[in-house]
Amino acid sequence: MTTDPEFPSMFRCPISLELMENPVTVSSGISYERRSIEKWLFTYNKTTCPATMQLLSSFELIPNHTLKNLILSWRNQHQYPSPSSPSSSQHLQLTSIFSSIKSSPFKANSLKKLRSFTTQNHSLFIASGGVEALRRIIIDHSSDYTAFRACEEALGLLNALPFDYDDESIELLSNKDIINSILVILQRGSAEARLDAITILQRMSTVNPSFTDQLHHNNDAFKALLDLLSDDISTRLSSSSLDLLLTALANSKPNRLSAIEAGAVCVLIELLPDAGRHKGERTLLLLKRLCECAEGRWAFADHALGVAAVSSKIGREFDAETKLGVKVLWLVCSFLPTKKVVDEMMVCGAVKKLLGLIHVDDGQSSTKEKALKMVRMHGDAWRQSPCFPCELRAVQYY
């Protein structure tokens, strides 16, 4: 099998990863294929440079004539076909591979060959119905070992494609059947396949935010994500699961209720003590979103370590962990002020930390106001405890 020569990396669009035909430059100084950057800016309403993620000062797209001429010169010199007009030999190769995949009982081997072909032919593969072919393989994840291996291989190939910028591909991958199949891989696949699966789910949620709203329809979706969140073997899988949960629980109450039912509050509480600053912030944000539901607050109040775990993340400075920790305690104290919660806040040192925040000379903030309101609500009960700071007993907080 002959392959086209590898083109210089500077000719590759950072979005589609294909050889550019009509390069344009954005205000960050990075050049992109016009179709790809227009879709990023004007279809998906992004305001950042995809390569650097810095905010763009303007959305003007300046034609890069120098780069375009260099690409044309290189293409002519190497007789490289235009992406919009692939050679007939490429079509024949792709047709042959598709045919072998359809007829062979060992699809995984054929998919490996297809992966090497698509490395230089992303656009041709997608335009020729490749995503639909992969979708059919992924859906057929029977208990048969060979079919499951083919499903894993198809997911890896799909993850290597720039399907994010093809509307037809997004529509195909938004189907409930393929989502369920991806979730099966997330539970039972190899480490590499599970990473491919969760990365695809993240990519889909980025281009189609409502995509994750469907997760609550699958009874095992949140259990699978929470299992990964607790996985000590792969920090990348754990971090990706945390990110996907943040997206899924951002605006969907059905998702939040499904996550609570799957035991999310308990898992997050038990992760908090050992979480570093960055992971701690995201974990607290998830916990806050769950505690905005009555069911989440009950689950928090019932957990023996809930108050202690959140209190451990509250400091004397108004950083993100402190703000989120205070918000969680505020939600529980305001809507579910059981004696158990109120007593635990004193025993675990949460009250002392709230008093410290109130007396920090840092002006007014919503965090300080919440701390003050909690002391006003439960101050009489807390003053009865021998743990209440003696020097503050005479201070009035009204």
Side-chain angles (χ1 to χ4, degrees), residues 169-348:
S169 296
I170 294 297
E171 186 175 350
L172 283 171
L173 299 176
S174 297
N175 182 278
K176 181 180 178 181
D177 290 337
I178 194 170
I179 295 173
N180 289 340
S181 298
I182 293 174
L183 289 169
V184 169
I185 296 295
L186 207 57
Q187 292 174 287
R188 295 163 38 203
S190 64
E192 183 180 358
R194 287 189 296 162
L195 190 55
D196 284 327
I198 201 164
T199 303
I200 289 171
L201 292 174
Q202 283 182 294
R203 291 170 64 185
M204 287 292 295
S205 68
T206 299
V207 297
N208 181 13
S210 62
F211 169 79
T212 56
D213 291 348
Q214 306 177 54
L215 290 182
H216 69 274
H217 293 300
N218 186 298
N219 294 332
D220 297 324
F222 289 101
K223 183 180 183 305
L225 290 172
L226 291 169
D227 285 345
L228 291 181
L229 197 60
S230 307
D231 191 340
D232 295 329
I233 299 175
S234 173
T235 55
R236 189 175 172 191
L237 268 174
S238 177
S239 181
S240 296
S241 176
L242 190 55
D243 289 337
L244 189 58
L245 281 167
L246 282 169
T247 301
L249 303 185
N251 301 304
S252 172
K253 185 172 182 179
N255 276 354
R256 294 184 184 187
L257 294 177
S258 293
I260 293 167
E261 187 176 345
V265 173
C266 292
V267 171
L268 294 172
I269 288 172
E270 288 163 16
L271 285 175
L272 262 180
D274 297 323
R277 181 177 293 274
H278 181 53
K279 187 174 182 179
E281 290 174 8
R282 293 184 293 163
T283 303
L284 282 167
L285 178 55
L286 271 177
L287 199 54
K288 186 209 65 132
R289 288 175 178 172
L290 294 177
C291 285
E292 288 170 353
C293 301
E295 294 81 355
R297 293 190 289 272
W298 276 109
F300 180 89
D302 285 343
H303 199 290
L305 298 177
V307 173
V310 172
S311 298
S312 70
K313 296 298 179 180
I314 298 176
R316 290 187 60 83
E317 297 181 359
F318 292 93
D319 57 14
E321 284 190 309
T322 293
K323 291 176 181 178
L324 288 166
V326 170
K327 284 179 182 177
V328 171
L329 294 180
W330 161 251
L331 286 166
V332 179
C333 272
S334 298
F335 299 102
L336 191 63
T338 64
K339 185 177 186 302
K340 174 178 176 291
V341 169
V342 174
D343 289 347
E344 284 180 354
M345 287 184 67
M346 175 57 74
V347 173
C348 294

Side-chain angles (χ1 to χ4, degrees), residues 99 122 124 142 146 164 174 237 256 263 285 383:
S99 177
H122 288 137
L124 172 61
S142 64
T146 56
D164 319 50
S174 297
L237 268 174
R256 294 184 184 187
L285 178 55
R383 286 175 192 275

Side-chain angles (χ1 to χ4, degrees), residues 1-4 81 86-101 110 113-121 124-125 128:
M1 180 183 295
T2 59
T3 58
D4 294 310
S87 66
S88 57
S89 63
Q90 291 175 317
H91 275 302
L92 289 173
Q93 292 167 14
L94 189 56
T95 302
S96 173
I97 295 172
F98 277 152
S99 177
S100 67
I101 290 174
S110 299
K113 295 179 183 177
L114 186 58
R115 185 185 290 230
S116 64
F117 174 84
T118 56
T119 301
Q120 299 298 325
N121 300 280
L124 172 61
F125 180 80
S128 301

Side-chain angles (χ1 to χ4, degrees), residues 350-361:
V351 175
K352 186 174 182 179
K353 290 185 175 183
L354 293 178
L355 292 170
L357 290 173
I358 292 171
H359 291 280
V360 171
D361 186 15

Side-chain angles (χ1 to χ4, degrees), residues 371-391:
L372 182 57
K373 287 178 180 178
M374 281 188 274
V375 172
R376 287 172 176 171
M377 276 191 291
H378 306 295
D380 290 342
W382 286 334
R383 286 175 192 275
Q384 307 305 314
S385 170
C387 299
F388 195 89
C390 298
E391 67 275 14

